[in-house]
Amino acid sequence: MENIEKKAASCKRVHCLVLSYPAQGHINPLLQSGKRLEHKGLKVTLVTTYFISKSLHKDSSSPSTSIALEAISDGYDEGGSAQAKSIEAYLERFWQIGPRSLCELVEKMNGSGVPVDCIVYDSFLAWALDVAKKFGLVGDAFLTQSCVVDCIYYHVNKGLLKLPLPDNQLLLPGMPPLEPQDMPSFIYQLGSYPAIADMVVKYQFDNIDKADWVLCNTFYELGKEVIISFSKISLYPSLHM
């Protein structure tokens, strides 16, 4: 990210796409991150799905941000996930359509005088890194949940925390002793929303070790011990809070 910030200070503004999974709990953290990047001198474009973009309106009373809004297709442009028969069907089609639609957006912008230099993508949309690498762009994963939660999911992903959970207290690096019911519901109540559980436990970590940077939506002072231990055990190239 230092190289990007240095480039932003030069005559040409670095252009960063900030791609969010289409849900409020994901859009807001990525939008705030985009504002911080903009404050560093980067040009930022927030990208979400066509359906969600219709409900997002630029606040004309807040001229402090010039973040643009673009959209890609998830295959359900008129109704989003509610248009699909199930969340499993929604994710399957989004994963088919999304990468191609994102490629088309990058190509459009590259030909319009505002070429893309970097994609900061929601870790739920791991395929965005493949798109970034296809175009020779910097690709940065953004974990929208807290570092504590991500660390728990990472331990499950790597087999360091076995499922189903044992009945006794759980001891994880940097954390106090935890009861099974203290765990995120996706791993405490196995079988609840399996498609989403697979996404948070498996798929968001699929290629994250190939990202140029890994950004995490957390407060360092509130989880210092976890962050330090997580940085040591993970294979992330650069973990930034």
Side-chain angles (χ1 to χ4, degrees), residues 45-102:
T45 299
L46 178 67
V47 181
T48 185
T49 60
Y50 282 112
F51 177 71
I52 293 297
S53 69
K54 297 172 186 176
S55 64
L56 297 179
H57 303 284
K58 184 176 176 60
D59 185 358
S60 59
S61 66
S62 178
S64 59
T65 180
S66 60
I67 293 178
L69 177 64
E70 288 284 352
I72 62 172
S73 179
D74 57 3
Y76 296 96
D77 298 342
E78 300 304 317
S81 59
Q83 188 182 349
K85 293 181 179 179
S86 65
I87 187 63
E88 289 84 359
Y90 174 74
L91 294 176
E92 181 179 359
R93 184 151 178 78
F94 192 4
W95 266 231
Q96 292 172 350
I97 302 295
R100 182 168 69 246
S101 187
L102 181 58

Side-chain angles (χ1 to χ4, degrees), residues 8-213:
S10 67
C11 57
K12 176 185 177 297
R13 289 184 73 191
V14 171
H15 185 195
C16 181
L17 296 188
V18 176
L19 174 65
S20 173
Y21 181 80
Q24 184 176 3
H26 293 253
I27 293 172
N28 285 341
L30 279 151
L31 176 59
Q32 296 308 314
S33 178
K35 289 179 179 179
R36 292 177 66 87
L37 291 174
E38 184 190 44
H39 183 70
K40 295 281 189 179
L42 281 69
K43 174 177 175 55
V44 176
T45 299
L46 178 67
V47 181
T48 185
T49 60
Y50 282 112
F51 177 71
I52 293 297
S53 69
K54 297 172 186 176
S55 64
L56 297 179
H57 303 284
K58 184 176 176 60
D59 185 358
S60 59
S61 66
S62 178
S64 59
T65 180
S66 60
I67 293 178
L69 177 64
E70 288 284 352
I72 62 172
S73 179
D74 57 3
Y76 296 96
D77 298 342
E78 300 304 317
S81 59
Q83 188 182 349
K85 293 181 179 179
S86 65
I87 187 63
E88 289 84 359
Y90 174 74
L91 294 176
E92 181 179 359
R93 184 151 178 78
F94 192 4
W95 266 231
Q96 292 172 350
I97 302 295
R100 182 168 69 246
S101 187
L102 181 58
C103 284
E104 291 170 354
L105 176 61
V106 173
E107 289 171 347
K108 182 186 82 170
M109 299 195 123
N110 286 348
S112 66
V114 283
V116 178
D117 299 289
C118 170
I119 299 178
V120 174
Y121 64 93
D122 193 315
S123 60
F124 277 23
L125 307 177
W127 44 261
L129 180 60
D130 298 329
V131 174
K133 296 308 178 185
K134 175 182 177 180
F135 288 93
L137 308 175
V138 172
D140 300 338
F142 188 98
L143 297 161
T144 58
Q145 300 181 85
S146 72
C147 190
V148 171
V149 173
D150 291 319
C151 187
I152 292 171
Y153 288 148
Y154 182 84
H155 276 76
V156 175
N157 177 271
K158 296 301 179 184
L160 303 174
L161 179 59
K162 303 294 184 181
L163 299 180
L165 296 172
D167 294 330
N168 52 297
Q169 282 189 333
L170 302 165
L171 300 176
L172 296 175
M175 303 183 198
L178 298 171
E179 300 294 335
Q181 59 268 28
D182 296 326
M183 294 289 106
S185 60
F186 291 125
I187 62 174
Y188 174 56
Q189 298 173 333
L190 288 180
S192 61
Y193 302 100
I196 302 296
D198 284 346
M199 190 156 54
V200 299
V201 173
K202 298 178 183 178
Y203 302 138
Q204 72 168 334
F205 298 113
D206 272 353
N207 59 358
I208 203 168
D209 58 313
K210 296 180 175 62
D212 293 285
W213 283 77

Side-chain angles (χ1 to χ4, degrees), residues 202-229:
K202 298 178 183 178
Y203 302 138
Q204 72 168 334
F205 298 113
D206 272 353
N207 59 358
I208 203 168
D209 58 313
K210 296 180 175 62
D212 293 285
W213 283 77
V214 176
L215 312 175
C216 190
N217 179 34
T218 201
F219 287 95
Y220 181 80
E221 294 302 329
L222 293 180
K224 185 186 302 183
E225 294 81 5
V226 177
I227 292 168
I228 292 173
S229 65

